[in-house]
Amino acid sequence: MCVSCGTMKPKKELIRVVRPPSGIVAIDAGGKASGRGAYLCRNPECVSHAKKRHIIERNLNIGECGDLYSSLMELCGDNVAVENGGV
């Protein structure tokens, strides 16, 4: 389920953000890294909403993570280009 919009989707359609025991938050491309995770839709609107409301920070119990949102937006941008036939 997307932590931003609450939409239920298969895991493969979501982006997983993970806070491993080391505490360094990252995007989990494989979806199998150990640690606390939060899932987001591959939708720029969900990422923007999550950034505005600090949803990932609250779900993962972390401080500010501004660079993470930039990376998430890039992933969403790649997804939009694929859905639109690479336009």
Side-chain angles (χ1 to χ4, degrees):
M1 179 173 80
C2 175
V3 295
S4 182
C5 69
T7 304
M8 295 291 287
K9 292 185 178 185
K11 280 185 177 182
K12 301 240 181 215
E13 293 180 19
L14 299 169
I15 302 169
R16 182 172 188 244
V17 179
V18 66
R19 181 188 49 123
S22 66
I24 300 170
V25 177
I27 295 172
D28 180 15
K32 297 188 183 219
S34 65
R36 184 174 181 90
Y39 292 87
L40 277 172
C41 291
R42 294 181 180 268
N43 181 344
E45 292 174 9
C46 284
V47 175
S48 294
H49 180 257
K51 181 177 181 180
K52 182 178 178 182
R53 304 267 186 208
H54 304 284
I55 293 172
I56 292 177
E57 290 90 338
R58 282 187 282 140
N59 275 270
L60 299 180
N61 297 323
I62 57 171
E64 190 72 27
C65 60
D67 292 341
L68 177 68
Y69 289 108
S70 300
S71 299
L72 289 168
M73 284 301 247
E74 287 177 20
L75 283 173
C76 291
D78 292 343
N79 187 54
V80 170
V82 170
E83 287 178 356
N84 292 332
V87 176

